[in-house]
Amino acid sequence: MITRRNALSGLVGLCLLSSPLQAESMLVLADRLYTKNGPVIESGAVLIQDGKIRQVGRQAEIRPPAGIQTLHAAVVTPGLIDARTVVGLAGYLNQPHDQDQLENSTAMQPQLRALDAFNARERLVDWVRSLGVTTLHTGHGPGALISGQTMLRKSYGAQVDDGLMQPLAMIVAQLGPGAFGAENRSPGTRSKQIAMLRQQLIRAQEYQQKLQDVEEGKAPARDLELEALVAVLDGSVPLLVTAYREQDMRSALRIADEFGIRIVLDGAAEAYLMLDAIKAAGVPVILHPTMARQFGELENASFTTAQQLHQAGIPFAFQSGYEAYVPKTRVVLWEAAIAAAYGLPFEAALAAITIDAAKILGIEQQVGSIAVGKDADLVLFSGDPFEYTTQVRQVIINGQLVSDEPH
Amino acid sequence: MRKSFLLAIGCVVCAVQAQDSPQAFVGATLLTMDGPPIANGTLLVDQGRIVAVGSQVAIPATASVHRLDGKVIMPGLVDTHSHIGQVAGADRSAPIQADVRALDSINSRHAGFMKARAGGITTVNVMPGSGHLLSGQTSYLKLRNASSIEQLAIRTESGAMAGGIKMANGTNPLRASPFPGTRGKAAALMRAQLVSAQEYCQRRESDNPPARNLGQDALCEVFIGERIVHHHSHRHDDVLTVLRLADEFNFRVVLHHVSEGALVADAIARAGVAASIIHIDSPGGKLEVMNLLPDNGKVLADAGVLLAYHTDDPITDSRLFLRSAAMGVRFGLDRETALRSVTINGAKMLDLQDRVGSLTVGKDADFIVLSGDPLSLYTRVEQTWVEGEQVFDLNNPEHALFATGGYGAGRDQVASDVLQLEAAQ
């Protein structure tokens, strides 16, 4: 059980965080082991050494060193991946001093880096870690046409560099009324949004051309804004496009087609209206939280959208997203659970917060499943991971026990 | 042609109106909230009331029988704090507006009503909005097959539409004058209002009564205990301020939200005041709730405080109301209290415990049919019944749209069978 003293002060978390990574061995035993790298293993075991997974199999098959630290749980899964969050940038107090997920002086700021704003000691990072989230795709939030960058980081570590996986993961854009400018500032309509976005991508194309054409010593003046968009144009970084309504998602696909860029659809509340088009475009979806409030742009959202994406064969993952009020962060474990209760098969729901999320984020070689050589990120549950009354008992990141209080 | 049209509507009316003959719901496990669970039980309903509950109930020959083997029946859920119906109470003109009634603003065709039925909610306290010391009179509703406030309202013995009154403290009502700027001013403004109301209420009984004042009239109902104060309060010191005012002015109060309730649980218990709380999936969101943890319910219940959960819809979704109780269990609350916290305990906080909240003979036939354990993720609300009428059926695609969401589920509307019923009346 959470203890109020510890939960309020975060002392336990910080003690764990401040200890250096050590070469450690650990054995994790599971009545049911969901590896997401093959079938479920009954009476499974995972041997961890030096922060990596060294052996996976039935308990009878594993030969651990004598005296090894051993943990046991009813169910063990890979560490959970939150495929799109703002924790670390949008703090739990929700005061101006801890809200760094959106800078809205201008409509497009792709040069804003997530790592310059990430507060590693933010309580919401502790909170989601205690509920099994080991990898965060976090960064700038919705609310602007282009709000900034995201990064990939483990959910542990006392400073941003600890556990940093990728300093630049995606550039964040949003279409629809949620990204209209305030007080008569552009963009004020959907058409204006698209015109501005296209014009900026064309500028970035021209900048990219200058970079390629440059003779020795004749480089164009460095432009951080356009530089960031060149990374989108050359395909090294996807554009994460938040869009809820069908028309906005279609605009996103149109932009992707025109500029030949990789996009990931974010939100996608009305995706069920255009499954064929999304599938044909080969675009993955990071679906809005299942429990996101169903009004405004999400008035047509459904608890069954995840199931429909799954049935259509569209790659998708769950996210905690951004909340302006309460809960200040959602928890992907609980969002996946509701989808599982509304028709999404159990294994698909678990995949959407582990291996499928890793694939969309391009980190499936490192995390997302329990497989030899991958990071030892594991979650130990008291039972069915999705059941309301099941608890997360322990969380392991890079072979270290980082949460030991049931949640 | 005209005749056959009327006939068709008549059939629809038959389906949704209170049945004249008794109805027996047979074979389910009954979680009565009034005794131990009854396996393979029978719930007998007649004229909108529960007439028998048990494992050995004689079913009248005239009764229509609903086989519900393997299902679970429990009382319809009671939501002590919701904002469905696009309710808007007080405006921005003053911090205390006791004259304003929620019932005058409720859009009874709001999609939130069908979603609440889909969540198993049958009784709801619709509260006027936020940001005032006193934001108006609340509305106790039954989610009957109806789309006007008059038909939805729960009536007092005198026939008036029942409700409480909503107050708030802490940072919620703090803003530019004439609103309070500090907690001390907030309490002073409220005390001054209550003092003047005391005088008004006394003079009202004299030979020289004052000119009628709607706001003071409502506070007179508070003083005689007919209108319960529903008091928004988060921080522990604000909770204690509520208890202090309730003691000074001797009014009945239910604490709402009570985010730091766990810090003053003993004081709340000693005062004999009930707590209606909310489950939120993470701490924070504003300064006042920085210490809200999901074991709040457990700590309050352990201290002996009468505990309910509420949705605060749209803060949490009415369709997931049972989840709040289940999350309480995840964080230490016992199952029995968790189930009571969304049924009979809430009924007590609305003074409706003699009519709703448990499967008890004589009470209104408000109940839900569940596919399994009410505290399981995988359980669905399959049917919702109010006063012997079915108001939600998961097998009806039109109802199911509200249960899951989807295209059109957000539009204000009532299900077509209800509209047809109205057209026929």
Side-chain angles (χ1 to χ4, degrees):
Chain A
M1 187 47 50
I2 52 171
T3 66
R4 302 193 72 86
R5 180 182 56 80
N6 289 336
L8 291 177
S9 66
L11 284 177
V12 166
L14 288 180
C15 290
L16 289 164
L17 300 185
S18 58
S19 59
L21 273 184
Q22 290 162 355
E24 283 185 56
S25 297
M26 195 187 289
L27 181 68
V28 176
L29 307 177
D31 298 343
R32 286 178 75 77
L33 179 62
Y34 291 94
T35 66
K36 304 314 290 178
N37 185 43
V40 177
I41 302 174
E42 305 289 343
S43 298
V46 183
L47 182 65
I48 297 168
Q49 278 170 340
D50 303 325
K52 299 286 181 187
I53 294 164
R54 295 303 177 196
Q55 289 184 52
V56 182
R58 295 180 58 80
Q59 287 171 21
E61 300 162 356
I62 307 283
R63 301 247 174 276
I68 190 170
Q69 181 186 3
T70 302
L71 300 175
H72 174 257
V75 171
V76 173
T77 72
L80 308 183
I81 298 171
D82 187 337
R84 198 275 189 272
T85 178
V86 290
V87 295
L89 284 83
Y92 86 108
L93 294 175
N94 207 12
Q95 300 297 301
H97 84 274
D98 74 349
Q99 299 303 294
D100 285 302
Q101 78 290 345
L102 179 65
E103 207 287 342
N104 50 17
S105 57
T106 63
M108 294 184 282
Q109 304 189 77
Q111 73 276 28
L112 306 188
R113 298 189 301 188
L115 62 90
D116 295 322
F118 185 82
N119 175 8
R121 293 168 187 265
E122 164 56 42
R123 187 172 170 204
L124 294 179
V125 177
D126 297 349
W127 179 250
V128 297
R129 184 181 60 241
S130 68
L131 288 157
V133 177
T134 56
T135 298
L136 302 168
H137 176 220
T138 189
H140 286 89
L145 185 51
I146 299 179
S147 64
Q149 305 176 6
T150 63
M151 66 178 189
L152 284 156
R153 187 186 178 277
K154 294 289 177 71
S155 61
Y156 84 100
Q159 55 179 343
V160 64
D161 297 323
D162 298 335
L164 189 63
M165 297 165 74
Q166 284 180 26
L168 169 57
M170 296 189 194
I171 307 267
V172 180
Q174 184 176 3
L175 303 179
F180 286 172
E183 295 161 7
N184 290 331
R185 280 210 303 262
S186 289
T189 65
R190 289 182 157 92
S191 295
K192 186 69 174 180
Q193 280 180 333
I194 300 301
M196 289 170 72
L197 189 54
R198 291 179 62 225
Q199 187 66 63
Q200 193 68 353
L201 286 168
I202 287 165
R203 280 195 201 103
Q205 279 177 329
E206 290 163 1
Y207 182 75
Q208 183 184 33
Q209 193 62 46
K210 281 185 198 160
L211 288 174
Q212 286 165 2
D213 293 348
V214 70
E215 295 169 30
E216 199 76 20
K218 276 192 176 176
R222 248 186 108 181
D223 184 324
L224 294 178
E225 212 175 316
L226 296 178
E227 212 170 75
L229 289 179
V230 167
V232 172
L233 290 171
D234 70 19
S236 56
V237 170
L239 191 66
L240 181 71
V241 186
T242 305
Y244 296 106
R245 298 279 194 189
E246 183 204 18
Q247 74 215 77
D248 296 318
M249 285 187 275
R250 290 202 188 273
S251 295
L253 297 185
R254 203 177 305 121
I255 292 272
D257 191 48
E258 177 179 355
F259 292 92
I261 58 176
R262 287 164 60 204
I263 67 164
V264 174
L265 277 176
D266 170 75
E270 295 180 3
Y272 56 82
L273 295 176
M274 49 181 289
L275 294 168
D276 292 345
I278 295 171
K279 187 163 191 195
V283 169
V285 172
I286 300 179
L287 185 63
H288 63 79
T290 321
M291 291 185 277
R293 297 186 180 105
Q294 296 181 358
F295 58 65
E297 287 196 84
L298 284 92
E299 68 175 356
N300 296 318
S302 169
F303 296 147
T304 66
T305 306
Q307 178 260 327
Q308 296 184 68
L309 289 167
H310 169 71
Q311 215 159 35
I314 295 169
F316 74 98
F318 288 107
Q319 62 172 313
S320 60
Y322 165 74
E323 292 291 340
Y325 186 36
V326 293
K328 195 53 194 164
T329 186
R330 294 182 181 273
V331 177
V332 282
L333 172 66
W334 294 336
E335 301 301 330
I338 298 297
Y342 285 83
L344 182 65
F346 176 90
E347 288 277 4
L350 187 55
I353 49 174
T354 56
I355 188 64
D356 290 354
K359 287 176 182 167
I360 291 171
L361 300 169
I363 49 176
E364 73 275 18
Q365 301 301 320
Q366 188 181 350
V367 296
S369 65
I370 299 175
V372 172
K374 283 196 174 182
D375 291 357
D377 299 349
L378 304 176
V379 191
L380 285 70
F381 292 92
S382 62
D384 175 350
F386 292 140
E387 185 56 88
Y388 292 143
T389 50
T390 293
Q391 290 183 324
V392 176
R393 288 284 163 80
Q394 278 121 356
V395 182
I396 295 166
I397 296 180
N398 292 355
Q400 279 216 312
L401 188 59
V402 294
S403 177
D404 196 17
E405 279 190 89
H407 272 74
Chain B
M1 189 64 195
R2 183 173 170 77
K3 191 178 174 185
S4 65
F5 175 67
L6 285 174
L7 202 65
I9 288 178
C11 287
V12 174
V13 174
C14 294
V16 293
Q17 265 187 333
Q19 305 243 340
D20 288 336
S21 61
Q23 299 184 82
F25 299 84
V26 179
T29 299
L30 307 180
L31 304 176
T32 66
M33 305 298 124
D34 189 23
I38 300 168
N40 193 14
T42 295
L43 177 71
L44 191 63
V45 169
D46 194 19
Q47 304 296 322
R49 297 288 179 90
I50 295 168
V51 293
V53 186
S55 54
Q56 306 288 331
V57 171
I59 298 171
T62 54
S64 54
V65 175
H66 305 254
R67 291 293 325 180
L68 293 169
D69 304 86
K71 307 296 184 189
V72 171
I73 294 180
M74 67 181 286
L77 307 183
V78 179
D79 185 357
T80 47
H81 186 145
S82 175
H83 301 290
I84 55 174
Q86 297 165 315
V87 60
D91 64 14
R92 288 279 162 238
S93 61
I96 297 175
Q97 301 182 41
D99 51 339
V100 166
R101 301 184 299 189
L103 66 93
D104 294 312
S105 74
I106 291 169
N107 171 8
S108 51
R109 289 162 193 268
H110 183 233
F113 282 98
M114 269 313 287
K115 291 178 179 179
R117 293 181 185 108
I121 295 168
T122 55
T123 297
V124 58
N125 177 24
V126 176
M127 302 263 262
S130 216
H132 300 78
L133 289 168
L134 196 164
S135 58
Q137 301 167 31
T138 80
S139 222
Y140 300 164
L141 306 179
K142 275 287 191 80
L143 299 187
R144 303 178 181 107
N145 273 328
S147 62
S148 74
I149 191 70
E150 281 75 14
Q151 294 165 300
L152 293 168
I154 292 173
R155 303 283 174 162
T156 65
E157 280 174 22
S158 68
M161 295 193 231
I165 204 158
K166 164 104 180 278
M167 295 188 192
N169 67 2
T171 58
N172 181 273
L174 301 186
R175 61 199 70 233
S177 182
F179 286 75
T182 63
R183 287 177 159 84
K185 182 65 179 275
L189 285 173
M190 184 51 76
R191 290 182 68 228
Q193 181 72 45
L194 292 169
V195 165
S196 81
Q198 279 178 328
E199 292 165 3
Y200 171 90
C201 302
Q202 269 175 4
R203 282 178 53 214
R204 207 172 64 162
E205 305 306 316
S206 72
D207 296 336
N208 183 25
R212 197 170 163 210
N213 179 307
L214 291 175
Q216 304 288 51
D217 283 345
L219 290 172
C220 297
E221 293 173 352
V222 168
F223 292 138
I224 58 172
E226 286 184 357
R227 189 175 288 284
I228 293 173
V229 174
H230 295 283
H231 209 304
H232 161 123
S233 196
H234 286 291
R235 224 169 68 177
H236 66 95
D237 49 334
D238 293 322
V239 169
L240 296 179
T241 298
V242 175
L243 299 182
R244 198 179 306 120
L245 289 184
D247 188 50
E248 178 181 358
F249 293 94
N250 195 28
F251 58 76
R252 300 172 68 201
V253 65
V254 173
L255 292 163
H256 285 253
H257 308 322
V258 212
S259 299
E260 289 188 349
L263 302 180
V264 288
D266 290 339
I268 299 170
R270 270 198 307 276
V273 167
S276 171
I277 69 169
I278 186 166
H279 168 81
I280 297 289
D281 275 0
S282 69
K286 58 181 176 181
L287 288 173
E288 282 186 314
V289 300
M290 59 191 280
N291 294 325
L292 173 60
L293 288 174
D295 68 347
N296 201 28
K298 171 199 162 46
V299 177
L300 286 165
D302 285 355
V305 176
L306 183 72
L307 179 78
Y309 279 90
H310 60 244
T311 64
D312 203 2
D313 193 318
I315 299 299
T316 67
D317 195 313
S318 290
R319 294 168 294 185
L320 300 171
F321 188 29
L322 279 167
R323 176 178 186 268
S324 297
M327 295 303 272
V329 172
R330 182 187 190 111
F331 291 96
L333 187 65
D334 66 281
R335 288 178 56 92
E336 183 63 25
T337 305
L339 292 175
R340 289 173 162 266
S341 74
V342 290
T343 54
I344 186 65
N345 288 5
K348 290 175 182 170
M349 296 180 199
L350 306 179
D351 255 353
L352 296 172
Q353 67 274 14
D354 295 334
R355 294 169 66 172
V356 304
S358 65
L359 303 179
T360 304
V361 171
K363 282 197 181 183
D364 295 352
D366 298 355
F367 59 94
I368 56 178
V369 179
L370 300 165
S371 60
D373 174 6
L375 299 178
S376 170
L377 166 76
Y378 300 103
T379 292
R380 300 291 297 274
V381 175
E382 296 184 344
Q383 302 174 19
T384 304
W385 293 72
V386 174
E387 295 166 2
E389 284 186 39
Q390 188 167 5
V391 300
F392 170 74
D393 178 3
L394 188 59
N395 287 324
N396 177 338
E398 206 174 336
H399 292 189
L401 173 67
F402 292 102
T404 60
Y407 207 79
R411 279 199 297 273
D412 299 344
Q413 54 190 298
V414 290
S416 65
D417 53 354
V418 176
L419 293 175
Q420 286 167 345
L421 175 65
E422 287 191 337
Q425 280 174 344

